């Protein structure tokens, strides 16, 4: 009887030892995988579980970008924040106007290498209110490039290589084309005529030979450092109306031009301030 009991206990002990050995061998031995493998694996699994469905990889191809050579969506090349797109000094070089998200209101694409603005570059973004393309290499703009931007208020094309201006949106309040290559023949007589809300007009550091038509609404006018050689009684005033007053014009800069303003005293009688410039 005792022998039978001893035999049963021995069998049970062997079975338990075998089970322990199996469990030990089933575990990963220290050093069998790179350090940190398990923790990194668990972290990655937790991250995947936490990833929202909207951020899951999309199998559809990304839209083709107009950016010179960079096949990345605009909001990866630039910073997109609630209706504003910031594409400043983009790398790799941005040589064309980027495709913009719908409802973009403000575009800042300064200090890139954009060379041309085509007819359709802004055709699908009619919500734009401000465009700043300062410091590019723009030498050509299609005359209809801004034709669909009916609510555009501010446009800066400063520090480019323009020799002529395109048609401009009627609701502009500020236009900056400082530091270009503009001559008088490149600015049509009616370029600013219909801009009845234009308050700030910057055309300094160009090659203009004459003062263009200035809308009544303009308050600040910068024409310094051009090649303007003369003014007349109709440049700012009206020769046929001695009672006419141009009260909105509060700042006029004409310094750095060949014109001697003191030779044309009757040209400023309607103004409340005299232009800054050469008087002797």
């Amino acid at each position: 009887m005792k022998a039978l009991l001893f035999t049963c206990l021995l069998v049970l002990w062997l079975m338990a030892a075998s089970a322990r050995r199996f469990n030990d061998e089933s575990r990963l031995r220290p050093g069998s995988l790179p350090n940190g493998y398990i923790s990194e694996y668990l972290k990655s699994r937790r991250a995947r579980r936490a990833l929202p469905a909207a951020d899951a990889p999309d199998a559809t191809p990304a839209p083709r970008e107009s950016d010179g050579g960079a096949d990345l969506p605009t909001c990866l090349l630039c910073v997109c924040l609630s209706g504003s797109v910031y594409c400043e000094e983009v790398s790799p070089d941005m040589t064309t106007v980027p495709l913009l998200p719908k409802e973009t209101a403000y575009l800042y694409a300064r200090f890139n290498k954009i060379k041309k603005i085509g007819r359709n570059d802004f055709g699908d973004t009619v919500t734009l209110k401000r465009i700043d393309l300062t410091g590019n290499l723009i030498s050509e703009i299609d005359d209809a490039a801004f034709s669909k931007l009916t609510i555009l208020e501010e446009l800066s094309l400063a520090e480019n290589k323009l020799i002529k201006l395109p048609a401009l949106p009627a609701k502009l309040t500020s236009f900056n084309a400082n530091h270009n290559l503009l001559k008088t023949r490149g600015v049509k007589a009616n370029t600013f005529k219909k801009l009845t809300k234009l308050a700030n007009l910057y055309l300094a550091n160009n090659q203009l030979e004459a003062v263009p038509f200035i809308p009544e609404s303009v308050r600040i006018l910068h024409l310094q450092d051009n090649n303007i050689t003369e003014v007349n009684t109709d440049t700012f005033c009206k020769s046929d109306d001695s009672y006419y007053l141009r009260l909105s014009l509060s700042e006029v800069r004409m310094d750095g031009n060949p014109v001697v303003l003191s030779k044309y005293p009757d040209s400023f009688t309607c103004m409340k301030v005299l232009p800054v410039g050469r008087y002797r």
Side-chain angles (χ1 to χ4, degrees):
M1 186 68 178
K2 290 181 179 181
L4 179 60
L5 180 59
F6 176 79
T7 301
C8 291
L9 290 173
L10 180 60
V11 170
L12 291 173
W13 182 84
L14 291 173
M15 291 175 66
S18 177
R20 282 197 302 272
R21 187 165 58 254
F22 176 81
N23 288 337
D24 289 342
E25 291 175 354
S26 297
R27 296 191 187 100
L28 290 172
R29 294 184 179 86
S32 61
L33 289 173
N35 289 336
Y37 178 87
I38 296 299
S39 61
E40 292 301 322
Y41 173 75
L42 292 176
K43 286 180 183 178
S44 66
R45 288 200 58 179
R46 283 195 293 269
R48 283 197 296 271
R49 286 199 299 270
L51 189 68
D55 291 340
D58 190 353
T60 59
R64 182 182 62 82
E65 295 300 306
S66 59
D67 180 24
D71 295 326
L72 292 173
T74 298
C75 290
L76 290 182
L77 289 168
C78 310
V79 176
C80 301
L81 294 172
S82 61
S84 298
V85 178
Y86 300 86
C87 300
E88 301 190 356
E89 297 183 281
V90 171
S91 180
D93 292 340
M94 178 177 285
T95 59
T96 57
V97 175
L99 294 175
L100 299 174
K102 297 290 185 183
E103 310 302 325
T104 298
Y106 305 98
L107 170 64
Y108 304 90
R110 298 179 289 196
F111 310 112
N112 291 294
K113 294 185 178 179
I114 298 171
K115 299 177 181 179
K116 180 181 178 180
I117 301 178
R119 174 185 293 265
N120 298 316
D121 283 344
F122 296 111
D124 295 328
T125 321
V126 296
T127 52
L128 281 164
K129 294 181 179 180
R130 180 185 300 157
I131 297 174
D132 192 342
L133 296 168
T134 299
N136 280 276
L137 303 173
I138 301 169
S139 60
E140 183 181 350
I141 302 178
D142 189 282
D143 202 51
F146 305 116
S147 61
K148 295 182 180 179
L149 305 184
T150 57
I151 63 172
L152 188 69
E153 297 176 352
E154 299 179 39
L155 175 60
S156 178
L157 301 171
E159 299 177 41
N160 280 283
K161 298 180 180 297
L162 292 173
I163 60 173
K164 66 176 182 177
L165 294 179
L168 298 173
K171 291 189 177 180
L172 277 184
T173 61
S174 180
F175 177 68
N176 189 340
N178 286 346
H179 293 275
N180 275 278
L181 304 173
L182 294 170
K183 294 186 177 183
T184 296
R185 66 173 178 268
V187 182
K188 296 178 181 179
N190 62 348
T191 297
F192 304 113
K193 197 166 187 178
K194 295 181 179 180
L195 306 189
T196 58
K197 296 184 177 181
L198 189 65
N200 304 319
L201 178 56
Y202 304 102
L203 296 170
N205 296 91
N206 280 283
Q207 300 172 20
L208 298 173
E209 299 93 352
V211 178
F213 174 84
I214 308 300
E216 294 281 342
S217 56
V218 171
R219 299 174 184 174
I220 297 175
L221 175 63
H222 285 189
L223 293 167
Q224 67 268 29
D225 298 308
N226 277 282
N227 294 325
I228 298 171
T229 57
E230 65 176 8
V231 293
N232 57 55
T233 53
D234 288 310
T235 300
F236 298 107
C237 303
K238 295 180 180 179
S239 59
D240 59 351
D241 186 355
S242 58
Y243 295 98
Y244 170 75
L245 295 176
R246 186 185 277 267
L247 298 176
S248 60
L249 198 55
S250 59
E251 181 182 322
V252 181
R253 288 194 57 183
M254 296 188 66
D255 44 311
N257 284 281
V259 62
V260 179
L261 298 175
S262 59
K263 292 183 177 180
Y264 309 93
D266 296 335
S267 298
F268 315 116
T269 55
C270 66
M271 300 167 61
K272 63 181 182 180
V273 296
L274 288 174
V276 175
R278 182 183 174 194
Y279 283 89
R280 61 178 181 178

